[in-house]
């Protein structure tokens, strides 16, 4: 089905209200998820709703929680999300950093114990909009791992995202990526659509390469992107996000339960502490133009910088609506009923 932004946001908000979420937190989480769909990341959009509803009902997600500043060392902040909606407590931690960076020029924030943060680019874009560079190292814990280490057959980590955004005079450059070859949610989406995944993304239970999204449910694993390099970056996200900023890493087997927690180490940097905004922006935008001026290679229409594909998809989906495959839609409607909405309330959106 195709659904427009406002209707989908309203539906998601109502579902979260059903599990007792305060209205502002329900709306903020819904807006974040729908924006992920708008930007083409269906894996981190409204398809997450069933997991969030289960987590709220099972006590793994505290729908009322706010981020708390637990340690303040000036340019270094430790913030605890208390397993609240990541979209809310992650944004609150980011805002604490954005307030502090005005005084310190650079701030390092340990943002720990967030329920799933969703699309990490959202926090980076918030920093870029305010004129700052930001860098984010995130680990993913709370359930068993799905990603194999380079050279290993057993699953040892998750899709540990890395993100960095750089402001320009117009749209920021936003590198926002899972360190696995693909995000786990993309396996779910491909499974729902019944389509194969790209070569090099998955291993089956024997450790042989496969493109079958069903391989994960059958005990297979996700591959790291870029062989040993992606594996190395995933490990750094685990150690900096989970070990340094957070409270635990994936090796704590007792904490591999049925939820998704993100610990995030985040740096926010004011270009004025170095050579200044003007010279930095001149370099950034000059570099972007330089890259754009490259002739396209065979099979490509043009060169893009990170963040552009998301903006292109967003422009298209704002105009034509957001596609949601039937199976994902059914699971969202089932979650809505589970959250306490009636059949007739759900029907308004179908
Ligand atoms: P992706 O592979 O679609 O894109 C990765 C990056 O590459 C993006 O910055 C994108 O703009 C850029 N890119 C894509 N095509 C490009 C091109 N042709 N030229 C230049 N740049 C290009 O993203 P992904 O790795 O599948 O991650 C998807 C989302 O999943 C991200 O938003 C990430 O934050 C999120 N994620 C979240 C968690 C979590 O636990 N919260 C875990 C993993 C991933």
């Amino acid at each position: 089905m195709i659904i427009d932004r406002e209707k989908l946001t309203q539906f998601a908000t109502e579902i979260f209200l059903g599990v007792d979420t305060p209205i502002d937190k329900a709306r903020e989480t819904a807006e974040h998820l729908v924006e992920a769909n708008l930007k083409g990341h269906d894996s981190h959009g409204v398809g997450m709703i069933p997991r969030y509803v289960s987590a709220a009902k099972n006590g793994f997600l505290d729908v009322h929680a706010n981020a708390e500043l637990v340690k303040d060392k000036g340019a270094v902040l430790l913030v605890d999300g208390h397993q609240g909606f990541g979209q809310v407590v992650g944004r609150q931690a980011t805002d604490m950093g954005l307030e502090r960076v005005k005084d310190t020029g650079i701030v390092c924030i340990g943002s720990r114990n967030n329920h799933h943060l969703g699309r990490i680019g959202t926090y980076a874009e918030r920093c870029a909009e305010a004129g700052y560079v930001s860098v984010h190292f995130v680990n993913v814990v709370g359930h068993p791992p799905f990603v194999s280490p380079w050279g290993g057959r057993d699953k040892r980590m998750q899709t540990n995202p890395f993100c960095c955004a750089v402001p320009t005079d117009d749209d920021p450059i936003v590198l926002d990526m899972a360190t696995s070859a693909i995000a786990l949610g993309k396996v779910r989406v491909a499974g729902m659509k019944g389509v194969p995944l790209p070569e090099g993304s998955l291993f089956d239970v024997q450790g042989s390469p496969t493109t079958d999204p069903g391989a994960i449910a059958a005990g297979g694993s996700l591959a790291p992107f870029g062989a040993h390099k992606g594996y190395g970056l995933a490990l750094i996200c685990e150690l900096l996000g989970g070990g340094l900023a957070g409270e635990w890493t994936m090796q704590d087997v007792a904490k591999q339960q049925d939820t998704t927690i993100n610990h995030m180490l985040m740096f926010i940097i004011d270009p004025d502490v170095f050579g200044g905004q003007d010279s930095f922006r001149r370099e950034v935008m000059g570099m972007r133009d330089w890259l754009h001026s490259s002739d396209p290679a065979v099979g490509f229409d043009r060169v893009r910088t990170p963040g552009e594909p998301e903006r292109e998809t967003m422009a298209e989906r704002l105009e034509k609506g957001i596609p949601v495959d039937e199976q994902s839609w059914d699971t969202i409607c089932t979650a809505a009923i589970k959250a306490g909405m009636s059949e007739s309330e759900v029907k308004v959106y179908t």
Side-chain angles (χ1 to χ4, degrees), residues 36 40-41 43-44 116-122 138-140 158-163 174-184 186 260-262 300 302-310:
H41 293 295
S43 56
H44 286 72
H116 189 239
L117 284 165
R119 200 184 142 256
I120 307 305
T122 307
V138 183
N139 85 329
V140 189
Q158 260 296 2
T159 54
N160 292 355
F162 169 81
C163 180
V174 186
L175 177 64
D176 175 25
M177 49 177 253
T179 50
S180 50
I182 52 168
L184 182 61
K186 289 192 175 156
T260 304
I261 298 295
N262 286 139
F300 290 83
R302 67 182 187 85
V303 168
R304 290 167 176 78
T305 51
E308 282 181 60
E310 283 77 9

Side-chain angles (χ1 to χ4, degrees), residues 298-346:
V298 175
F300 290 83
D301 58 343
R302 67 182 187 85
V303 168
R304 290 167 176 78
T305 51
E308 282 181 60
E310 283 77 9
R311 288 192 289 276
E312 287 172 359
T313 307
M314 183 155 172
E316 190 187 321
R317 290 187 171 187
L318 280 174
E319 190 191 324
K320 297 185 181 156
I322 299 167
V324 183
D325 68 90
E326 290 306 321
Q327 228 183 320
S328 298
W329 188 254
D330 287 349
T331 62
I332 295 166
C333 292
T334 305
I337 301 286
K338 198 173 154 193
M341 287 176 72
S342 67
E343 301 267 359
S344 56
E345 284 169 333
V346 171

Side-chain angles (χ1 to χ4, degrees), residues 2 11 38 87 90 101 118 163 176 181 201 211 243 257 299 301 324:
I2 304 284
F11 186 29
L38 281 169
Q87 288 79 358
V101 75
C163 180
D176 175 25
S201 341
T211 57
Q257 295 174 320
D301 58 343
V324 183

Side-chain angles (χ1 to χ4, degrees), residues 112-243:
R112 70 186 190 194
N113 294 327
N114 309 290
H115 185 259
H116 189 239
L117 284 165
R119 200 184 142 256
I120 307 305
T122 307
Y123 313 100
E125 284 161 1
R126 196 170 179 87
C127 297
E129 220 166 87
Y132 302 108
V133 172
S134 71
V135 187
H136 309 249
F137 298 90
V138 183
N139 85 329
V140 189
V141 282
H143 56 266
F146 285 107
V147 181
S148 299
W150 182 244
R153 185 185 286 195
D154 295 325
K155 293 165 273 191
R156 286 290 182 259
M157 284 190 284
Q158 260 296 2
T159 54
N160 292 355
F162 169 81
C163 180
C164 176
V166 175
T168 74
D169 287 346
D170 43 68
D171 297 317
I173 290 169
V174 186
L175 177 64
D176 175 25
M177 49 177 253
T179 50
S180 50
I182 52 168
L184 182 61
K186 289 192 175 156
V187 179
R188 174 176 50 77
V189 172
M192 296 271 193
K193 290 181 178 164
V195 295
L197 284 158
E199 303 273 347
S201 341
L202 299 183
F203 295 114
D204 67 15
V205 71
Q206 271 85 37
S208 303
T210 175
T211 57
D212 174 10
I216 290 291
S221 63
L222 294 179
F225 87 92
H228 56 289
K229 301 180 189 185
Y231 159 58
L233 184 56
L235 174 60
I236 294 300
C237 287
E238 190 71 34
L239 300 179
L240 300 192

